[in-house]
Amino acid sequence: GSVPTGDGLREIVKAAFSEAVTAVLSRGTLVDVNISECSNNVVGDYQCNSAMPIFAELKQKGDTSFSNPRSLAEAIVEAIPGREHLFAQTSVAGPGFVNVTFSASFLAAGVLDTVVNSTDEKIRIPPQRNMSIPKRAVVDYSSPNIAKASEMHVGHLRSTIIGETICRALESFGVETVRLNHVGDWGTQFGMLLTHLHDMQMGSDFAITDLQEFYKVAKLRFDKDDDFKARAQSAVVRLQAGDVQMRKLWEEICEISRRDFEEIYRVLDISIIERGESFYNEIIPLVLDELVKKGIAVEDQGALCIFGNLESTPLICRKSDGGFNYASTDLAALWQRTTQLEADQIIYVTDVGQSKHFEAIFDAANRAGWLDKKDNTKIRLDHVGFGLVMGEDGKRFRTRSGGTVPLRSLLSEAQSRCLESLQTRSSDLDDKELLEASHIMGIAAVKYADLHNNRSTNYVFSYDRMLDMKGNTAVYLLYTHARISTLLSRAEDQDLTSPAHQMVFTDEKERALAVAILKLPDALRAVVQDLLPSRLCDYAYHLCVAYNEFYSTCKVIGSPEEKSRLILCRATVFSLRRALFVLGITPLHKL
Ligand code: ARG
């Protein structure tokens, strides 16, 4: 049988079993099955555990076609389409676990296909089976606050790194993504800051660090000086109403922050559209009006509130003084994105602390009907929450004096530590190249250290750990990549696109590497469906482990299996580069 080439191994097995079960039960629609990797690869590559629950279901309905789950499992195996081609071995164990082992010819064809159909420029993976993907996705990420903390902090770094990988993963499936930076450029902090600057007769000729200082002082005054507080509040009202002078100073403050952010985005290789809170200012009244008309927002003690179904504390969407807040803006933004941007999916990347906020916003949008599409499906909304960045002392990541760590110094510290460690090793690079490599590797290390954890847990920021050559780090991946690239450059003139029968697996490590390579689409699918970038890190890491094991036992150049092994190397390098690209990591070709 011919197998669509776009799917990963798990999806191929899943489709095969799904079709087999559907045929055995003579059902009209595809039956979903449960596929997992075998914990012991002597038993097989993948396992299907669905015979037991399906048997139980049949029994309940009084269907006695099978006497036990085992006989059902055996019938399923018989019905697998293209079984001989796919699997070298199938077995039924215990009460009805089915184990399958791929055939060498199937794996060889997949590896060869990877080599034939891959180019370094191509990041799109072929179409996938049984996967619904949005046409257009809005990803709201990074989103630092101007003036308040003025500089981006590690929380925004996490959002930036995770959000970008999600965008790239979506794009590898052909999704059109709209990257939006929901910058905090509109809150009460501006009233304080503008009033304070006015009092000090300051223009706008200051640096980002000054801005941070001004904000601190302004906040102190706001908290203890009632006159100042009143003036600050009226300043916000004037700003939001479009006062020309206020607007001008506001513009200048935003510009100072913007220059600072742009520098970070440049270093991180991110390009994102700035569409801050201020963008939505004008549509807020209209959107709130609609919510009132639909009976979703109601007045309560002067404030406009949205009561959820379960939560007793309402979402306040207009304060009792008539002012708008974070929630007002997010309601307007969601309305704009669903109705005007026509997004099919909207993803918000922030710390987990904001999950209640988004739950309430999403619920309101759903009740307002904003999520209903013409084809009767719903727009998918996701809050991608992440944990805190912790210091090695187990407390929130801070500078020694307790301040927030400026991102630029964090990134340059990673780069300079990287240079130090590169200099201690023998290398094919000259000094200038070494410096360039350390710049790339330092950023890669920070990104990967963040992405490889399950995002919802806190993670400990440790330069030592992220630069460990032997650990699950970007450094390890980049060294492996450089090693393969160097090897391949010695065989550049070889034509490796010969027919599949030229591939041979004489060593178990070759086969294991082939299996590792062919899981890429599964990993990308997990990033897009479960919004878990760590799944792609797992893929890249296991691919490199499999490669290094292969490389330490199998001679490549000059061996009788040279061609076949070079094909494996090339498929590895293409797959690794694709994964690195989505992780936002630039591959190094020499080290
Ligand atoms: N500026 C916010 C913060 O720093 C994040 C904004 C996230 N996006 C949104 N649409 N609320 O916490």
Side-chain angles (χ1 to χ4, degrees):
S2 72
V3 178
T5 51
D7 293 315
L9 292 182
R10 166 197 292 278
E11 226 43 57
I12 290 171
V13 174
K14 194 174 161 126
F17 271 92
S18 182
E19 280 172 44
V21 172
T22 308
V24 167
L25 304 182
S26 1
R27 297 256 168 101
T29 50
L30 278 183
V31 179
D32 202 24
V33 291
N34 198 336
I35 302 294
S36 53
E37 278 174 37
C38 292
S39 49
N40 176 353
N41 59 11
V42 175
V43 178
D45 295 314
Y46 284 87
Q47 189 173 64
C48 175
N49 299 341
S50 293
M52 286 75 76
I54 293 171
F55 179 80
E57 190 196 311
L58 291 179
K59 199 171 154 192
Q60 231 192 358
K61 287 186 187 152
D63 183 334
T64 54
S65 328
F66 300 94
S67 52
N68 52 44
R70 218 187 140 89
S71 59
L72 171 62
E74 276 153 7
I76 292 171
V77 171
E78 284 306 311
I80 292 173
R83 177 163 53 104
E84 246 93 277
H85 163 74
L86 273 177
F87 304 125
Q89 208 184 313
T90 54
S91 64
V92 178
F97 299 104
V98 182
N99 297 305
V100 295
T101 305
F102 293 112
S103 71
S105 60
F106 167 75
L107 293 175
V111 169
L112 205 74
D113 195 71
T114 305
V115 170
V116 173
N117 289 313
S118 298
T119 59
D120 281 341
E121 294 75 46
K122 202 167 114 188
I123 53 150
R124 281 278 293 274
I125 62 164
Q128 301 284 296
R129 194 162 25 182
N130 304 326
M131 186 184 183
S132 72
I133 50 161
K135 254 177 72 182
R136 179 182 297 153
V138 165
V139 186
D140 173 320
Y141 70 109
S142 194
S143 311
N145 300 314
I146 287 174
K148 206 187 256 168
S150 77
E151 285 180 277
M152 250 193 256
H153 60 70
V154 283
H156 298 119
L157 179 66
R158 284 211 84 174
S159 174
T160 309
I161 292 170
I162 295 170
E164 179 64 21
T165 286
I166 289 174
C167 290
R168 291 182 182 212
L170 283 164
E171 283 164 347
S172 67
F173 290 102
V175 178
E176 180 200 341
T177 62
V178 183
R179 294 161 163 80
L180 295 184
N181 197 358
H182 194 81
V183 174
D185 62 359
W186 205 239
T188 28
Q189 74 263 31
F190 283 98
M192 299 179 207
L193 200 60
L194 292 171
T195 309
H196 180 62
L197 291 175
H198 173 265
D199 290 358
M200 288 184 32
Q201 305 197 317
M202 286 285 300
S204 59
D205 187 22
F206 41 75
I208 185 89
T209 40
D210 299 330
L211 200 56
Q212 207 161 16
E213 262 326 294
F214 294 150
Y215 175 73
K216 265 189 215 153
V217 182
K219 174 89 171 93
L220 283 176
R221 293 182 68 189
F222 186 87
D223 289 340
K224 62 171 203 261
D225 178 347
D226 283 343
D227 170 60
F228 181 83
K229 185 171 177 172
R231 286 193 295 128
Q233 280 164 340
S234 88
V236 186
V237 177
R238 264 155 57 215
L239 170 69
Q240 302 197 342
D243 179 292
V244 178
Q245 233 183 325
M246 285 288 170
R247 198 75 190 202
K248 188 164 169 283
L249 193 54
W250 170 79
E251 194 67 71
E252 283 162 359
I253 293 172
C254 291
E255 188 53 33
I256 293 169
S257 288
R258 191 171 294 130
R259 256 179 270 143
D260 189 62
F261 299 160
E262 271 166 10
E263 172 62 14
I264 304 281
Y265 294 136
R266 193 189 57 76
V267 174
L268 293 174
D269 189 20
I270 304 277
S271 82
I272 182 168
I273 300 167
E274 181 185 322
R275 187 169 289 176
E277 296 178 7
S278 62
F279 178 88
Y280 305 97
N281 185 49
E282 268 146 53
I283 55 173
I284 293 175
L286 287 140
V287 172
L288 294 186
D289 240 27
E290 182 186 326
L291 292 172
V292 170
K293 285 209 188 87
K294 290 184 170 163
I296 296 162
V298 290
E299 266 195 55
D300 191 70
Q301 297 166 41
L304 192 63
C305 300
I306 297 176
F307 289 89
N309 296 329
L310 301 166
E311 284 302 310
S312 49
T313 45
L315 181 76
I316 297 177
C317 56
R318 192 177 62 219
K319 294 184 287 179
S320 49
D321 67 3
F324 299 135
N325 61 9
Y326 190 52
S328 328
T329 307
D330 260 327
L331 288 166
L334 188 44
W335 176 84
Q336 200 270 343
R337 291 164 187 180
T338 50
T339 57
Q340 302 195 319
L341 273 184
E342 297 184 30
D344 304 294
Q345 182 176 12
I346 307 172
I347 298 170
Y348 296 80
V349 189
T350 78
D351 60 291
V352 282
Q354 301 194 31
S355 59
K356 282 262 175 310
H357 166 79
F358 286 110
E359 241 171 67
I361 301 279
F362 294 174
D363 181 53
N366 187 24
R367 285 193 278 153
W370 299 343
L371 309 184
D372 302 327
K373 293 201 285 185
K374 287 187 201 86
D375 62 358
N376 280 329
T377 60
K378 280 201 189 257
I379 293 170
R380 176 176 165 180
L381 301 180
D382 290 280
H383 174 229
V384 173
F386 53 80
L388 299 173
V389 182
M390 311 297 278
E392 286 178 276
D393 55 3
K395 301 202 189 94
R396 256 184 121 114
F397 189 67
R398 288 275 152 84
T399 57
R400 283 212 185 83
S401 57
T404 51
V405 181
L407 284 196
R408 218 173 330 172
S409 59
L410 179 148
L411 296 172
S412 62
E413 170 100 20
Q415 292 172 323
S416 59
R417 290 201 192 207
C418 207
L419 182 61
E420 273 169 41
S421 104
L422 283 174
Q423 280 164 340
T424 63
R425 299 199 191 100
S426 63
S427 168
D428 297 339
L429 306 179
D430 63 31
D431 285 353
K432 187 169 161 278
E433 290 171 325
L434 220 49
L435 185 67
E436 275 165 22
S438 74
H439 282 168
I440 290 174
M441 201 184 262
I443 298 300
V446 172
K447 288 182 175 175
Y448 190 83
D450 191 319
L451 293 168
H452 92 283
N453 296 291
N454 185 316
R455 60 175 161 77
S456 52
T457 56
N458 296 348
Y459 94 93
V460 176
F461 191 95
S462 157
Y463 290 112
D464 288 337
R465 227 182 294 168
M466 70 176 70
L467 295 174
D468 181 2
M469 260 225 71
K470 295 194 188 74
N472 183 358
T473 62
V475 179
Y476 174 72
L477 304 187
L478 289 175
Y479 263 98
T480 306
H481 178 269
R483 200 171 299 135
I484 313 172
S485 301
T486 307
L487 182 135
L488 283 169
S489 69
R490 291 202 281 138
E492 235 154 9
D493 50 341
Q494 298 239 24
D495 176 22
L496 300 177
T497 51
S498 39
H501 66 258
Q502 297 224 345
M503 278 213 81
V504 283
F505 299 127
T506 54
D507 191 290
E508 185 48 39
K509 300 281 191 271
E510 296 170 292
R511 185 186 182 283
L513 178 57
V515 170
I517 291 169
L518 297 174
K519 288 175 179 173
L520 178 64
D522 296 323
L524 284 168
R525 197 187 260 253
V527 179
V528 165
Q529 290 185 330
D530 310 329
L531 301 166
L532 288 176
S534 58
R535 300 289 291 277
L536 189 58
C537 295
D538 293 342
Y539 169 81
Y541 178 65
H542 286 119
L543 177 63
C544 287
V545 169
Y547 177 80
N548 286 319
E549 285 181 357
F550 153 80
Y551 187 68
S552 67
T553 40
C554 302
K555 183 175 178 201
V556 180
I557 293 178
S559 73
E561 300 86 4
E562 181 177 291
K563 261 235 155 64
S564 173
R565 290 181 176 170
L566 281 171
I567 291 171
L568 268 176
C569 293
R570 193 172 281 185
T572 305
V573 103
F574 279 137
S575 307
L576 182 56
R577 278 180 204 158
R578 281 187 177 184
L580 290 176
F581 177 82
V582 174
L583 297 172
I585 294 175
T586 311
L588 293 168
H589 294 261
K590 264 197 328 184
L591 263 168

